[in-house]
Amino acid sequence: MLWWMPWAIGAVMLGVLKITELGGDSVDASKPLGELLADIGYIKFHDRKSKTYGVELKHGSSFKDLENLKGKIENIVKSEVNIINNNFNYYIQLKETSKELPTNLPFYAFDTKDRQGLQVAVGLSVQNGDFNILAIDFVETPHTLIAGATGWGKSVFLINLILQIIHNYPECEFELFDFKGGVELNSFKNLKQTKSFTIAPDKAEEEIRSIYSEIEERLDVINESESKNWIDHNKHNDNKLNPKFVIIEEFTILIDQSKDLKNILIKSLAISRAVGIFYVFTSQRFDSKIIDSRIKANIDNRICFHTVDSINSSIILDQTGAEKLKNKGRALFSIGGQLSEGQTSMTTDDDVANIIKEHLNPSKRVGSKQVTKNIGTEKKTSEEPKMNAKGGLIYGLNN
């Protein structure tokens, strides 16, 4: 599912958001235009869809008088305009201007928490001539694959995604797997929300199996409370199921470790949506044997940065196009099957620090360990008794 709303940069971005809140395609400048035209006429109407103002000229005023005000009119509406005389019916019409996506988009923490679902802003696009936010609603489309050649923006995008989640949904939990030696996601290992931080592929299997056990435990809780899913359960029960993101940087490395592990991930993708656990994978490898149809069938969101050729684009998106992307941070977004081109945000160390500072747990000290398991809480194992829906506790809820 896509969530669209106008988005520009800096002060312009905030101004566009205010325009959107008025519920129209453009600002209604009827009042200031009326004041400008007071000596020669007045505004009869404003059609937002066509961006047109109807003008009634006073007796003794001419079309030339209206034309002479063109520059001042453009200053008011912040756009080029056409001054039209159609059989003595006079109009001011804003010209359509083509907007191009910026190649360098600064980070902005967008407030999406009050929107329906679990919506997270992921990029900027152009739709019908206007800047718009691209967002993922993880309730509707729960799992995401981020792919592309090295150096084109995958890891920066992932950092932005995590920051947007923390900013809007601080109750969310993270299970982080960073198979780039921990350097990409290192800033998030000491978050209160981070339940595990794993950097060595050969140490990851136990954690992946533990997450699958948690999925089964959550299913038991939901079934015992006679709920349809985690959202329905949370509406009627005190023991809330916090949304959880399992983020695996370079997940194809993990799949190479074990065929059984690959099967566990496939089973997890199929059932975790109902319990509020969402998987986010990144990959720079394009191998149809690894990213096979069983995995892709359960991943609704595919975000593809530049690829070296059309074959690689097809493996990720099921269509070509990513090979033509030329800017870092530019990606093709297939969200719930709907394809859009968008620009993703750059993030700085200051951006990360500003968002996470209120969420750091000073008691967490990962140090140089390759695996930090069950940080801040003890996980249940599959051999332990199942939880009780009325009084039981699911992992991570009482942190």
Side-chain angles (χ1 to χ4, degrees):
M1 173 179 289
L2 295 181
W3 163 57
W4 302 97
M5 62 184 293
W7 189 13
I9 303 172
V12 176
M13 176 174 66
L14 296 177
V16 173
L17 286 174
K18 292 177 181 177
I19 291 171
T20 303
E21 291 169 359
L22 296 175
D25 296 324
S26 63
V27 171
D28 186 352
S30 296
K31 183 176 180 179
L33 285 176
E35 294 171 352
L36 175 66
L37 302 178
D39 291 337
I40 67 170
Y42 60 91
I43 299 296
K44 294 167 59 178
F45 67 84
H46 172 217
D47 180 24
R48 293 193 179 200
K49 186 174 182 180
S50 64
K51 301 182 180 179
T52 301
Y53 297 85
V55 179
E56 182 73 24
L57 293 179
K58 292 181 179 179
H59 182 71
S61 298
S62 67
F63 179 63
K64 186 67 174 177
D65 295 327
L66 182 60
E67 285 186 313
N68 288 339
L69 294 173
K70 181 178 179 181
K72 293 182 179 179
I73 291 171
E74 289 178 337
N75 284 336
I76 290 174
V77 299
K78 307 301 181 186
S79 172
E80 293 185 25
V81 300
N82 293 317
I83 306 298
I84 302 168
N85 180 358
N86 182 11
N87 196 26
F88 301 104
N89 292 304
Y90 307 110
Y91 305 98
I92 300 169
Q93 186 175 54
L94 278 64
K95 287 184 179 180
E96 291 291 340
T97 57
S98 59
K99 296 179 181 178
E100 295 185 359
L101 284 171
T103 57
N104 187 5
L105 188 65
F107 172 80
Y108 185 83
F110 253 88
D111 293 328
T112 57
K113 55 183 173 292
D114 294 329
R115 301 273 168 173
Q116 184 176 358
L118 194 69
Q119 298 197 32
V120 180
V122 292
L124 175 70
S125 70
V126 174
Q127 186 189 40
N128 298 326
D130 289 321
F131 289 124
N132 295 275
I133 288 177
L134 273 169
I136 295 174
D137 182 354
F138 285 93
V139 171
E140 293 293 327
T141 55
H143 307 308
T144 303
L145 172 61
I146 306 161
T150 301
W152 288 87
K154 296 189 306 297
S155 295
V156 175
F157 172 82
L158 185 58
I159 290 171
N160 176 70
L161 179 68
I162 294 173
L163 293 179
Q164 298 289 351
I165 293 170
I166 295 169
H167 173 70
N168 287 283
Y169 310 104
E171 73 277 12
C172 283
E173 301 170 355
F174 296 107
E175 306 274 2
L176 302 180
F177 298 81
D178 185 353
F179 300 135
K180 291 183 178 180
V183 297
E184 300 294 353
L185 302 181
N186 184 63
S187 298
F188 306 113
K189 66 184 179 183
N190 287 331
L191 290 176
K192 297 174 184 177
Q193 294 91 337
T194 300
K195 304 309 172 186
S196 69
F197 183 77
T198 307
I199 67 176
D202 61 340
K203 304 292 185 180
E205 183 167 351
E206 182 181 358
E207 190 65 32
I208 294 294
R209 292 183 182 277
S210 180
I211 294 170
Y212 182 74
S213 294
E214 183 183 345
I215 293 172
E216 292 183 322
E217 291 167 354
R218 287 190 175 210
L219 283 173
D220 286 345
V221 170
I222 291 169
N223 288 330
E224 289 179 20
S225 67
E226 298 183 348
S227 303
K228 296 179 180 179
N229 51 45
W230 69 282
I231 296 176
D232 186 40
H233 169 85
N234 286 353
K235 288 179 180 178
H236 305 102
N237 295 274
D238 293 331
N239 59 328
K240 308 299 183 185
L241 302 178
N242 289 338
K244 173 173 288 191
F245 289 84
V246 181
I247 298 175
I248 306 179
E249 183 67 284
E250 292 300 339
F251 86 106
T252 51
I253 295 176
L254 180 63
I255 290 176
D256 283 343
Q257 291 292 121
S258 166
K259 184 177 180 180
D260 289 341
L261 205 52
K262 180 178 179 179
N263 291 331
I264 290 174
L265 285 175
I266 292 170
K267 289 192 295 182
S268 298
L269 289 171
I271 63 176
S272 61
R273 169 181 182 168
V275 303
I277 295 180
F278 315 109
Y279 283 79
V280 178
F281 302 121
T282 75
S283 176
Q284 65 184 22
R285 292 176 56 189
F286 304 93
D287 187 335
S288 58
K289 293 181 181 178
I290 294 176
I291 308 175
D292 66 19
S293 58
R294 292 181 299 165
I295 291 177
K296 288 171 62 177
N298 286 293
I299 298 179
D300 301 285
N301 311 313
R302 304 176 199 173
I303 300 168
C304 191
F305 293 83
H306 174 80
T307 60
V308 295
D309 55 37
S310 60
I311 296 175
N312 291 338
S313 177
S314 296
I315 291 173
I316 302 303
L317 297 171
D318 295 326
Q319 58 187 291
T320 61
E323 75 281 1
K324 298 177 182 178
L325 299 174
K326 301 302 180 185
N327 299 323
K328 287 187 177 181
R330 187 65 54 87
L332 293 179
F333 295 77
S334 179
I335 301 177
Q338 185 172 345
L339 189 69
S340 302
E341 181 176 340
Q343 182 69 26
T344 61
S345 298
M346 291 293 297
T347 56
T348 66
D349 291 342
D350 287 342
D351 294 327
V352 175
N354 288 336
I355 296 294
I356 71 172
K357 60 185 178 182
E358 296 179 1
H359 304 283
L360 291 172
N361 187 341
S363 66
K364 294 181 182 179
R365 292 292 181 266
V366 176
S368 61
K369 291 184 180 180
Q370 285 189 317
V371 179
T372 300
K373 186 165 173 52
N374 304 342
I375 302 177
T377 188
E378 290 298 324
K379 282 193 179 180
K380 291 171 61 63
T381 65
S382 58
E383 288 75 25
E384 291 179 339
K386 300 297 184 180
M387 290 176 292
N388 184 294
K390 295 182 179 180
L393 175 68
I394 198 159
Y395 157 65
L397 296 181
N398 278 9
N399 287 7

